[in-house]
Amino acid sequence: MVKKHIELRSVRITDGFWKRKQDLVRETTVFSVYNRFYDTGRVEALKCDPSNPEKRHYFWDSDLAKWIEGVAYLLEKEPAPELERLADAMIADIVANQREDGYFNSYFQTVETDQVYALRKNHELYCAGHLIEAAIAYKRATGKDLLYRCMLKFADQIDRVFRVEKSAAFLTPGHQELELALVKLWRESGERRYLELAKYFIDERGSEREREMAGIKPEQLRYAQDHLPVREQFTAEGHAVRLLYMCCAMADLALETNDEALKTACERIFRNIAEERMYITGGLGSNCNFEGFEENYHLPNEIAYNETCASIALCLFARRMQLLSEDPIYANVIEREIYNGVLSGLSLDGKAFFYENPLEIDLMSPTHQSGGRQKLHYPIQQRVEVFSCSCCPPNMTRFIPSLGEYLYTVEDGGIRVHQYMDSETREGELHLIQKTDYPRSGDVEFHYQGSATAVSFRIPDWCRSYTLSQNGRPVEAEQVNGYVTLPMANNDRVSLSFEMPVTFVEANPAIRADAGKCAVMRGPVVYCAEQVDNAELRLYDFRASEDGAKTEESEQFYFPTVTLTGEVREDGRTLYAAERFRRRSAELKLIPYHAFANRGPSNMTVWLLQK
Amino acid sequence: MVKKHIELRSVRITDGFWKRKQDLVRETTVFSVYNRFYDTGRVEALKCDPSNPEKRHYFWDSDLAKWIEGVAYLLEKEPAPELERLADAMIADIVANQREDGYFNSYFQTVETDQVYALRKNHELYCAGHLIEAAIAYKRATGKDLLYRCMLKFADQIDRVFRVEKSAAFLTPGHQELELALVKLWRESGERRYLELAKYFIDERGSEREREMAGIKPEQLRYAQDHLPVREQFTAEGHAVRLLYMCCAMADLALETNDEALKTACERIFRNIAEERMYITGGLGSNCNFEGFEENYHLPNEIAYNETCASIALCLFARRMQLLSEDPIYANVIEREIYNGVLSGLSLDGKAFFYENPLEIDLMSPTHQSGGRQKLHYPIQQRVEVFSCSCCPPNMTRFIPSLGEYLYTVEDGGIRVHQYMDSETREGELHLIQKTDYPRSGDVEFHYQGSATAVSFRIPDWCRSYTLSQNGRPVEAEQVNGYVTLPMANNDRVSLSFEMPVTFVEANPAIRADAGKCAVMRGPVVYCAEQVDNAELRLYDFRASEDGAKTEESEQFYFPTVTLTGEVREDGRTLYAAERFRRRSAELKLIPYHAFANRGPSNMTVWLLQK
């Protein structure tokens, strides 16, 4: 058996934090996003009516495709007739308007109709990729293959134009996405040419020929990872989402074609991100100008871009890497992302989104005169229900329902448990139940039914102390490469208990932005301080003591809030004083970072002065 | 006797730090600046030759005027035939080209000749003001009054056009400067109309009529202090140099006309600056977009603008305030400026200048992609010999030679000693000698000759401990309002000894930029750490202990260097770690802040992590 994840259709999240989030998406978010898409004209645009004067954008098809994909994942679990009806309507419009030769794009078929495949930046292949992913997911969830057959035609057209005739104005997609979708299409259809096309695009990227044809300027090379052949790219450069979608395809191809060079590049890029270019929240891509990665350890907190889609994309990439490698880094990073940098993109009420996810907010900052010699950009301070570029909301609605696919991988040797979520999994003989309220609680109970096998449990990288028992008896098992492995027999029960103290975390000394500071975590959850919880106390002046931290249950935030003891300085008139300003004891209340900005505009910080 | 400063001609700086700086200006800087002015075509431009195709700028006359003024102050002390020759040549060109009606401007008489007094922003009156100051200084120093008589005509022309006819397109100067020059002209000439004109400009500023005529947009009001009548301005707003030159005139007028409202506005603006909007170095004006003040306590270190001219201008303002008030804040701020924020504008070799004076440098910062949504501006990292806008160099060459005028004020009650510099002062019966190497040493010796009087000595605001003796006997004198007063008789000797430990200074808790940090001072001198002295040590990660600081004499920097003990964190691979990174003891070498960036590009910081 080739190593694979246990599929979404086999895994049901049954309780706990993620059940609540999946319910929120199912009951609220997916409808809210549809309504915003409808209001903005995206849905209507699928009718490709040139007389419709509404201003469109050429990436709209991808927004709707991702929405359809999310609906498909929801339908895997439970019927949702209204959502299915809305999706079917969109699909009908797409099918009805697909060009004879297979091409589809609601923008270029109605607006700028002479620009088909004229400019690499026009996102045509990006939209195609998301439509392909949607088509496959929808067929698998519903059995309906209308869109799927459409997309086979589209993929064939792309193959003709780009690989056979090379008649487009550019060789490879601008924004990567199609490559990973083509691998999915190969896996679904069995038609090898889709894998070959994906490989072709990956192999051509970074070639001189590509650069010349597409007229890419030297200073633009890194932006879309055109600076080197991908097998020679060992650091995370350029636009984060583009890079990470490309890495997904590279990882897929590495697996499908046993390409060691691709695998190595993936491992090195991943490690560069996780060990040198990632925020503690999992945020990725510090620079707002190109939405991407800067040099190692340059991680400013207040102006951090940290696109929500990038955190989701890292999960997509990491999940694929789990099939290539036993390295625990992948599951650990996924965990960091889902509880922090991904989730901060969604409001607690499920209706609003952040595109950017900073680690510090000062409400006064945007009021300073900006523009001319120095133009400072700050993320918005409150989530909004729709953006003109709305990639993050449907990414959220397709990602959260798909989380079941992140729990387990299986291979001949056994099962690996990567994530802890209350769930029930059935596949063939296997019936595996996780009962847990992780990470509100550190306890996880497994009930295994199936043939004798080995089950490996990830010990989270933040965990310093845990207990393990099997069938009621404590077990000592050696932790190998971040996992402990137990032999399992039918009906075995395993209990894990991860100790979850409030922990103070330091950043690597090479990160200037965090020098002299600490961040608070409890299990995988990163915390932050918001002004709204802390009266007039100066968040940036609070020195945190590592003693005396308390937790308090919270209905509102699900995870406990944390109260730190420490000190702040009292007000004074003197501007610069040789005597220290007087200190007084103070407490600071922290909430989970992902829940920031849900109670109105507020100063906020993740990093706190160390005592 | 009306309170006045003992004039420059009566005071000779004889030794110590400022003698060296004045010699440097006399022997090197003033020539270096002239050469750069010559190379750039400024000197030639005075010939007003329209056939000369060199690109000019309309503020060039002010650069040359300030240079002439500086030469005049040098000539007060010692002959300098070559400088006098160069100045005379320039003056001859000005006189030869002055328009019949008195107007002079080398730009508008050759380029854009139809734009005389057409746009407020064109700096015509600004240039006139500096020419007037130069003319008065030159006449007083040399007896030559060619330029002076010229400028009387020019002032009369301005009076006619602006106050009598009101025929210009605007009511008041754009960049303030002329107002303070007109007060000087009144004092030199005895002609009251010049005082009246200065008052007229000050009174009209911020009027609605002015705003309409000059077409000032609402968002532009604060920039040139047009937002309110000046008597209602109580905070420092807008462009720093413009504001401070205006305040000079306001203070002059307050004194000359007994205007309490002007005095109050001056006091409040000064206090707002010194207590809420000033950097520890005396740097002023944090925002590079409009070269001016932002809200209270917003003092970012790395992007601080801190124009050298603004620090000089605060001294010009503070000196005038000393005639209106006994408040020690004025002399204390002047001291902070001359040893830090002013002096950092000049390289140690006397040839190169900084326009901007940041408190932190990270060499990597300008390498980050900038532009588009976020454009970050960083000050240049090395001084240069000339700028296209070259106001700071001649400001330096006129300010440093004028320092003798900052030492003493006299009135019927006695003499007040504001600054400590090795000097000899003769005026009438008075003969006062200061022997000192302040602030390299804290000891100052006075030898007084003259009639019986009272002498008040400033106790610097940073000083926590000092001794005082008179004629060899220790004296206890009550410090009143920052000064101690002793009765003085002919031939009396007084010794002061200010204790000068290495001091750790905190910033007001309201200053977010400096939270958790400390700065080092010794006496009035602020220190900084440069990478070039500290190998690979991460300056931003060094936690300073307040014990074990050592000083070491330094020929290169004149003031001792300071070595701190503390700790830094060792390198590690982990990006975020619950265990603290290992610390090791380390030392950090500091130099006087004003000497930064003299040894090649280097990371630098004033503020250090507190232990």
Side-chain angles (χ1 to χ4, degrees), chain A residues 278 360 464 512 576 579, chain B residues 278 360 512 576 579:
Chain A
M278 182 179 72
E360 185 180 345
R464 296 282 162 271
R512 179 161 76 115
Y576 302 107
E579 293 82 35
Chain B
M278 182 179 73
E360 185 180 345
R512 179 161 76 115
Y576 301 108
E579 293 82 34

Side-chain angles (χ1 to χ4, degrees), chain A residues 275 278 289 295 360 362 368 371 374-375 377 464 506-509 512 540 569 572-573 576 579 583, chain B residues 275 278 289 360 368 371-372 374-375 377 464 506-509 512 540 569 572-573 575-576 579 583:
Chain A
E275 294 183 344
M278 182 179 72
N289 288 316
E295 88 261 10
E360 185 180 345
D362 180 344
H368 300 125
Q374 177 152 271
K375 194 163 94 172
H377 166 84
R464 296 282 162 271
E506 272 190 10
N508 192 292
R512 179 161 76 115
Y540 61 78
R569 291 182 295 163
R573 259 228 75 69
Y576 302 107
E579 293 82 35
R583 275 104 165 103
Chain B
E275 295 183 345
M278 182 179 73
N289 288 317
E360 185 180 345
H368 299 127
Q374 178 153 270
K375 194 164 93 171
H377 167 82
R464 295 285 159 269
E506 273 190 10
N508 191 293
R512 179 161 76 115
Y540 62 78
R569 291 182 294 162
R573 260 228 73 71
L575 197 54
Y576 301 108
E579 293 82 34
R583 276 106 165 103

Side-chain angles (χ1 to χ4, degrees), chain A residues 382-584:
Chain A
Q382 291 287 276
R383 294 176 186 83
V384 292
E385 295 198 1
V386 74
F387 302 90
S388 57
C389 173
S390 215
C391 52
C392 299
N395 235 353
M396 192 74 71
T397 61
R398 68 173 181 147
F399 180 67
I400 290 182
S402 76
L403 281 177
E405 223 159 34
Y406 286 76
L407 296 184
Y408 308 113
T409 48
V410 289
E411 56 198 313
D412 286 333
I415 301 166
R416 288 169 79 78
V417 180
H418 301 296
Q419 304 297 333
Y420 297 105
M421 299 183 192
D422 192 287
S423 53
E424 181 171 11
T425 300
R426 291 182 189 274
E427 191 170 80
E429 283 196 325
L430 172 67
H431 184 200
L432 181 58
I433 294 173
Q434 269 197 57
K435 300 290 328 141
T436 183
D437 197 17
Y438 179 96
R440 182 155 70 172
S441 147
D443 303 327
V444 194
E445 311 252 328
F446 289 85
H447 180 206
Y448 175 81
Q449 288 172 278
S451 45
T453 188
V455 177
S456 302
F457 302 86
R458 177 177 62 98
I459 306 303
D461 59 352
W462 50 262
C463 180
R464 296 282 162 271
S465 170
Y466 67 95
T467 60
L468 177 63
S469 69
Q470 188 165 18
N471 298 323
R473 286 183 301 279
V475 175
E476 291 279 331
E478 192 193 347
Q479 193 176 324
V480 174
N481 213 14
Y483 289 75
V484 293
T485 305
L486 300 178
M488 290 292 241
N490 189 35
N491 257 321
D492 269 4
R493 293 182 185 271
V494 169
S495 291
L496 274 157
S497 190
F498 301 111
E499 213 182 290
M500 284 194 168
V502 171
T503 310
F504 294 82
V505 178
E506 272 190 10
N508 192 292
I511 304 175
R512 179 161 76 115
D514 307 328
K517 298 185 179 176
C518 60
V520 171
M521 294 182 71
R522 179 181 173 275
V525 179
V526 176
Y527 280 75
C528 72
E530 283 203 296
Q531 196 72 61
V532 65
D533 292 318
N534 290 289
E536 302 305 313
L537 187 145
R538 293 189 182 98
L539 307 181
Y540 61 78
D541 200 58
F542 178 86
R543 272 195 192 262
S545 168
E546 295 196 14
D547 309 312
K550 300 191 300 287
T551 60
E552 196 175 307
E553 288 185 12
S554 167
E555 188 64 46
Q556 181 180 21
F557 298 110
Y558 200 86
F559 302 114
T561 58
V562 173
T563 302
L564 301 182
T565 60
E567 64 182 24
V568 285
R569 291 182 295 163
E570 307 216 322
D571 288 352
R573 259 228 75 69
T574 319
L575 198 54
Y576 302 107
E579 293 82 35
R580 291 191 166 214
F581 285 81
R582 286 211 312 168
R583 275 104 165 103
R584 61 174 175 81

Side-chain angles (χ1 to χ4, degrees), chain A residues 79-119:
Chain A
E82 193 183 345
L83 293 174
E84 192 163 348
R85 186 179 55 75
L86 294 171
D88 283 339
M90 284 191 222
I91 289 167
D93 284 338
I94 295 168
V95 170
N97 287 290
Q98 183 176 29
R99 222 168 61 172
E100 185 61 42
D101 64 350
Y103 178 87
F104 180 81
N105 188 294
S106 69
Y107 182 89
F108 290 100
Q109 286 178 250
T110 48
V111 185
E112 296 197 79
T113 53
D114 59 337
Q115 292 291 300
V116 171
Y117 295 150
L119 289 175

